[in-house]
Amino acid sequence: MIVANPIYDIVFKYLMEDERIARTILSALLKKDVVAVEMRPHEYANSQRDSLSVFRIDFGATIRDQEGKEHLILVELQKTWLPTETLRFRQYLGVHYSNPKNMNGDYALPTIAVYLLGHKVGNIEEPVLYVNHQSLDYNNNPVTKGLPDPFIDSLTHESIIVQIPRLHGQINNRLDMILSIFDQTRKDSFDEHILRLDETVYNDDRDMERILHRLTMAAADATMRHHMNVEDEYFSIIEKRDTEILMRQKQIDEQASQIIKQEVQITEQKAQITEQKAQITEQKAQLTEQKAQLTEQKAQLTEQKAQLTEQKAQLTEQKEMLRTTIKMLVKAGLSQQEIAEKLGKDLSEVIYLSE
């Protein structure tokens, strides 16, 4: 069975414009009994394309709880082909929250954000991820009394994330059945605009038959095929632009990395120069200290020489005085032996000085 590929915005919008199909898909995603769906008048359907690659539709969905009571909630469904910055999703949610038409009296209507992603999210292997807020006390114990509360529900929202590339073709539950129409492993090998589905899998399922019938009509619509070609061209331009941006960013990152390495090298060189300067300064200080020590030693040697000179002069003077005394005693008629005894000197010294 050949059907149009709902990964394309034009096909997806055409599919969701059918109220019964929208109820079927949202019921499976929300795991709630959706009894009525209304496409909000301010849906962003990318009718005028810009640099954004996100397709968005807002729904007002009436759900019936297990007690039979009906509640109105808002469902913001966003679909993208390409890896998209979360800022874009947050911007759309911000517009959604600031819209006064999304209020119910004093409180905002509860919101559930659904993201159909044409790319994988990190290493998360689950094709469908439910992210639900939980109320906890200080000790991380769940708080249930008084909940749900409209004030709390106005400030928080739940999210459902569908990784289309993770759809593996196995059908284990109702949601798997619904999402199988997005399984890109079923694309025609020659024409990505269409999927080839085994219609026997959906036998006796009136809701799925309606979905397949509408997708079959889309596949046969020439205008629809033209719009899909336009989307291909648009996203080809986006991919080319993103590739160029990535390449430029890679070059910038590489240049920045080189600059950082050079700065690190310069810093290391400066540190080495500073260390060398410190070593030179220390060596100069050591040399100065050594010079001071040498100067002090020279002064000490000079002083010692002066002392020796003075001592020699004193000895010379004493010898001359002793020589004069000996000569006087010799003239007085004393013998050299008597002079030696009188002066307490050695006889040989007296004889030497007497000559």
Side-chain angles (χ1 to χ4, degrees):
M1 182 178 192
I2 297 176
V3 300
N5 191 346
I7 195 70
Y8 286 87
D9 293 351
I10 187 64
V11 178
F12 183 70
K13 183 175 184 294
Y14 175 72
L15 188 67
M16 298 302 287
E17 284 174 340
D18 184 292
E19 196 267 349
R20 178 178 167 182
I21 291 176
R23 280 193 292 111
T24 300
I25 293 176
L26 292 180
S27 293
L29 283 168
L30 302 179
K31 295 189 290 187
K32 299 179 184 294
D33 182 13
V34 179
V35 296
V37 170
E38 178 187 4
M39 187 178 291
R40 307 292 285 188
H42 298 291
E43 80 278 5
Y44 177 73
N46 284 21
S47 57
Q48 294 181 344
R49 291 197 175 276
D50 53 18
S51 60
L52 302 181
S53 56
V54 176
F55 178 87
R56 171 187 147 198
I57 305 178
D58 294 338
F59 294 97
T62 302
I63 60 173
R64 182 182 294 121
D65 60 23
Q66 295 179 348
E67 297 177 356
K69 296 181 180 179
E70 295 185 355
H71 308 275
L72 178 63
I73 66 170
L74 297 178
V75 179
E76 182 168 279
L77 195 153
Q78 300 187 47
K79 182 179 71 67
T80 177
W81 276 30
L82 307 175
T84 305
E85 296 177 1
T86 55
L87 177 61
R88 294 175 182 174
F89 291 138
R90 290 171 64 89
Q91 287 172 337
Y92 295 149
L93 282 170
V95 172
H96 181 86
Y97 274 116
S98 62
N99 189 345
K101 293 184 179 180
N102 293 332
M103 300 292 291
N104 183 16
D106 295 331
Y107 301 107
L109 291 171
T111 299
I112 298 178
V114 179
Y115 304 101
L116 299 178
L117 305 181
H119 60 88
K120 297 177 182 179
V121 179
N123 295 320
I124 301 174
E125 296 181 354
E126 292 296 326
V128 183
L129 192 66
Y130 287 83
V131 183
N132 301 326
H133 66 263
Q134 188 177 15
S135 299
L136 307 172
D137 64 13
Y138 179 79
N139 296 315
N140 289 328
N141 298 314
V143 175
T144 57
K145 185 177 180 180
L147 296 176
D149 180 86
F151 180 82
I152 302 297
D153 292 340
S154 295
L155 300 177
T156 59
H157 71 271
E158 299 178 357
S159 300
I160 303 172
I161 300 173
V162 179
Q163 301 183 82
I164 293 176
R166 296 287 189 187
L167 298 175
H168 41 65
Q170 297 181 5
I171 299 177
N172 300 314
N173 52 49
R174 181 62 175 169
L175 181 57
D176 287 344
M177 177 75 75
I178 298 295
L179 294 179
S180 65
I181 63 171
F182 294 95
D183 187 354
Q184 296 303 294
T185 63
R186 304 171 187 266
K187 285 188 300 187
D188 184 86
S189 56
F190 298 101
D191 186 356
E192 294 188 351
H193 296 167
I194 61 175
L195 303 180
R196 292 186 176 275
L197 304 178
D198 182 4
E199 57 186 314
T200 61
V201 175
Y202 311 102
N203 285 343
D204 301 325
D205 188 325
R206 295 294 181 85
D207 291 328
M208 288 304 303
E209 288 177 357
R210 186 179 183 91
I211 291 173
L212 297 179
H213 176 69
R214 194 162 179 84
L215 290 177
T216 302
M217 291 174 57
D221 190 301
T223 302
M224 195 75 64
R225 297 295 289 267
H226 170 72
H227 281 292
M228 284 191 276
N229 285 327
V230 171
E231 285 190 41
D232 284 335
E233 293 176 3
Y234 171 75
F235 282 109
S236 175
I237 294 173
I238 292 294
E239 287 179 332
K240 182 179 179 181
R241 180 207 63 184
D242 288 347
T243 300
E244 292 175 351
I245 291 174
L246 287 173
M247 292 299 294
R248 285 198 297 268
Q249 186 62 48
K250 183 179 179 181
Q251 292 175 351
I252 292 172
D253 291 342
E254 289 176 352
Q255 292 173 352
S257 178
Q258 291 176 352
I259 292 172
I260 291 172
K261 287 181 180 179
Q262 291 173 352
E263 289 177 347
V264 170
Q265 291 175 349
I266 291 171
T267 301
E268 291 177 351
Q269 291 173 353
K270 286 183 177 178
Q272 292 175 353
I273 292 172
T274 301
E275 184 178 356
Q276 290 173 352
K277 286 182 177 179
Q279 291 175 350
I280 292 171
T281 301
E282 184 179 356
Q283 291 172 354
K284 285 182 178 179
Q286 291 175 352
L287 289 172
T288 301
E289 184 179 357
Q290 291 172 356
K291 286 181 179 179
Q293 291 175 352
L294 289 173
T295 301
E296 184 179 356
Q297 291 173 356
K298 286 181 179 180
Q300 291 175 352
L301 289 173
T302 300
E303 184 179 356
Q304 290 173 357
K305 286 181 180 180
Q307 290 176 353
L308 288 172
T309 301
E310 184 179 357
Q311 290 173 358
K312 286 181 179 180
Q314 290 176 353
L315 288 172
T316 300
E317 184 179 356
Q318 289 174 357
K319 284 183 178 181
E320 290 300 322
M321 289 176 61
L322 182 59
R323 187 188 300 274
T324 301
T325 301
I326 291 172
K327 287 181 177 180
M328 288 176 60
L329 291 174
V330 170
K331 287 181 178 181
L334 273 67
S335 66
Q336 290 178 337
Q337 182 64 41
E338 289 174 338
I339 293 171
E341 291 175 357
K342 188 174 184 64
L343 296 177
K345 299 292 183 179
D346 188 72
L347 178 61
S348 60
E349 185 179 0
V350 172
I351 294 171
Y352 172 74
L353 294 174
S354 299
E355 295 178 352

